[in-house]
Amino acid sequence: MDNSLDTTPGADFIDTLSQKVLENDRTALAKAITLIESTKKEHQSLADKLLEKCLGNQKESVRIGITGVPGVGKSTFIENFGNFLIKRGNKVAVLTVDPSSTENKGSILGDKVRMETLSNEKNAFIRPSPTSGSLGGVARKTRETIILMEAAGYNIILIETVGVGQNETTVRDMTDFFLLLKLPGAGDELQGIKRGVMEMADAIAINKADGHNVKSAETAKQEFSRALHLFSAKENGWVPKVMTCSALENKGLEPIWSCIEKFVEHTKENGHFSNTRKLQNKKWLRQHLNHILLQDFYENPTLSASLSLLEEKVMKSEITPFTAAESLLRDYRKTY
């Protein structure tokens, strides 16, 4: 079975594909993700059927979101953290997201190359995906891909976001634990006090705490620890931790994993773990509904001519964008 979807699959394609995904056939898993990410309508209906077969067959997992500014060492951290977890008997799936070009929509997707050691592990699966215009630091089909990974038996899902600073919000809505990587001595301690990504973090790890950076990493740790006290207590009762680590030297990885284990135990005991997953499913429904409505709106042939005409008028300042939008919505409603 190859990874391509060049032809329209036959009637038994989904039954065969779903079975192979459950058996952790890596080629089938890659093909399943390609199907999920496809924008072709015939593939979208098949993808829905595939997800229905995989739902309910997932292995219990921990979903971990990892973010940080470019250059913080996310890829190195994930590779060595993934190897660390595999040595402890886990099966690790890594979903990385690379920004798409606004010019040609292309993406380098270089994370799999950067994580060469982890890529060769039989109990690891790395899938890079482009953002394709999605906001929040993740790809549009990341949630669906998580379901496939869990159905294939991966019990730890690491999701690396694009890492654009304060806009890593969507990943919070699809993970159990949110880890923020920071740099020592980068002059961003005061930036860290801002609300946003700091407020969402369940733990902060000051990476690259090695060599001459050790002292500045400890200083940053103290700064961020004080900053966390400015935020309101989390609803789940968890108190975020600040730690230092060196992914390059494999230092500090065990305390980070211990922190995640304690978080999972804590939130499972008080019911927040399962309740958060339920609320995330609800948001998934709303966001998918929004996507379907937008797609239906822009693909409506009746509106195409009107949209082009109104865009021209807006560009010439003959009509306001608000009036144009209301006109299009009125026409859209008439089609139903």
Side-chain angles (χ1 to χ4, degrees):
M1 181 184 291
D2 60 44
N3 294 339
S4 63
L5 293 169
D6 295 332
T7 58
T8 303
D12 61 344
F13 172 75
I14 293 302
D15 289 335
T16 303
L17 184 61
S18 61
Q19 184 58 43
K20 287 186 176 293
V21 167
L22 296 176
E23 294 170 358
N24 192 22
D25 182 312
R26 296 164 72 89
T27 303
L29 187 53
K31 175 170 275 191
I33 297 170
T34 300
L35 179 67
I36 291 292
E37 293 180 342
S38 174
T39 56
K40 293 182 178 180
K41 284 192 174 182
E42 61 268 26
H43 289 163
Q44 289 175 8
S45 60
L46 289 170
D48 291 341
K49 293 177 182 177
L50 175 63
L51 286 170
E52 286 177 4
K53 288 183 176 292
C54 290
L55 280 170
N57 288 300
Q58 302 137 271
K59 184 178 179 65
E60 186 175 340
S61 72
V62 178
R63 305 168 183 171
I64 304 168
I66 301 173
T67 193
V69 296
V72 76
K74 291 191 297 295
S75 295
T76 302
F77 175 85
I78 290 173
E79 176 170 43
N80 290 337
F81 191 51
N83 284 321
F84 168 87
L85 294 170
I86 287 171
K87 288 176 182 177
R88 281 153 180 75
N90 297 291
K91 294 183 66 176
V92 179
V94 179
L95 307 180
T96 69
V97 183
D98 279 2
S100 300
S101 167
T102 55
E103 299 295 330
N104 59 24
K105 310 305 179 185
S107 185
I108 297 174
L109 303 179
D111 283 301
K112 197 165 185 177
V113 177
R114 289 194 290 266
M115 301 179 193
E116 186 177 357
T117 304
L118 187 60
S119 297
N120 293 326
E121 285 285 348
K122 67 175 183 178
N123 286 324
F125 187 95
I126 301 176
R127 176 71 179 204
S129 298
T131 53
S132 300
S134 296
L135 301 177
V138 294
R140 189 171 64 82
K141 293 294 185 177
T142 299
R143 283 185 178 86
E144 290 87 337
T145 305
I146 290 172
I147 300 301
L148 295 180
M149 293 296 173
E150 292 172 345
Y154 294 93
N155 66 310
I156 297 179
I157 317 294
L158 303 179
I159 304 172
E160 177 195 0
T161 73
V162 171
V164 291
Q166 298 288 324
N167 194 31
E168 310 297 278
T169 54
T170 309
V171 71
R172 172 75 276 184
D173 292 333
M174 62 179 71
T175 55
D176 306 309
F177 188 91
F178 191 45
L179 177 65
L180 173 62
L181 296 181
K182 283 286 188 178
L183 286 167
D188 63 351
E189 284 81 0
L190 291 177
Q191 289 292 325
I193 298 176
K194 291 181 180 178
R195 294 187 180 274
V197 69
M198 272 279 292
E199 200 169 24
M200 295 185 296
D202 297 305
I204 297 173
I206 314 298
N207 193 24
K208 301 188 178 182
D210 45 50
H212 65 277
N213 287 328
V214 173
K215 185 176 180 180
S216 56
E218 285 298 325
T219 301
K221 176 182 175 181
Q222 295 173 12
E223 291 286 344
F224 285 117
S225 295
R226 284 195 289 267
L228 287 174
H229 290 297
L230 299 175
F231 301 135
S232 303
K234 288 183 177 290
E235 189 179 344
N236 59 17
W238 174 255
V239 179
K241 317 295 183 190
V242 184
M243 298 160 281
T244 62
C245 69
S246 171
L248 190 63
E249 297 182 354
N250 282 310
K251 294 179 180 177
L253 300 182
E254 190 162 354
I256 291 175
W257 176 238
S258 177
C259 174
I260 295 172
E261 287 184 311
K262 289 176 182 177
F263 172 88
V264 172
E265 180 182 5
H266 172 81
T267 53
K268 282 187 175 181
E269 284 180 355
N270 62 24
H272 275 274
F273 189 93
S274 60
N275 189 54
T276 297
R277 289 264 181 114
K278 292 175 183 176
L279 291 175
Q280 288 174 350
N281 285 339
K282 179 181 177 180
K283 288 183 179 180
W284 186 11
L285 164 65
R286 293 288 184 95
Q287 289 170 355
H288 187 59
L289 181 61
N290 289 340
H291 170 71
I292 292 173
L293 288 171
L294 277 173
Q295 189 177 39
D296 184 65
F297 179 88
Y298 283 111
E299 291 179 357
N300 190 309
T302 307
L303 299 178
S304 296
S306 298
L307 178 59
S308 298
L309 179 63
L310 288 170
E311 282 176 335
E312 287 292 331
K313 289 186 176 181
V314 168
M315 290 169 66
K316 294 176 182 177
S317 298
E318 295 176 0
I319 187 174
T320 67
F322 316 105
T323 303
E326 289 294 335
S327 176
L328 284 167
L329 283 174
R330 282 195 298 270
D331 291 343
Y332 179 64
R333 294 187 186 110
K334 291 175 183 177
T335 62
Y336 292 94

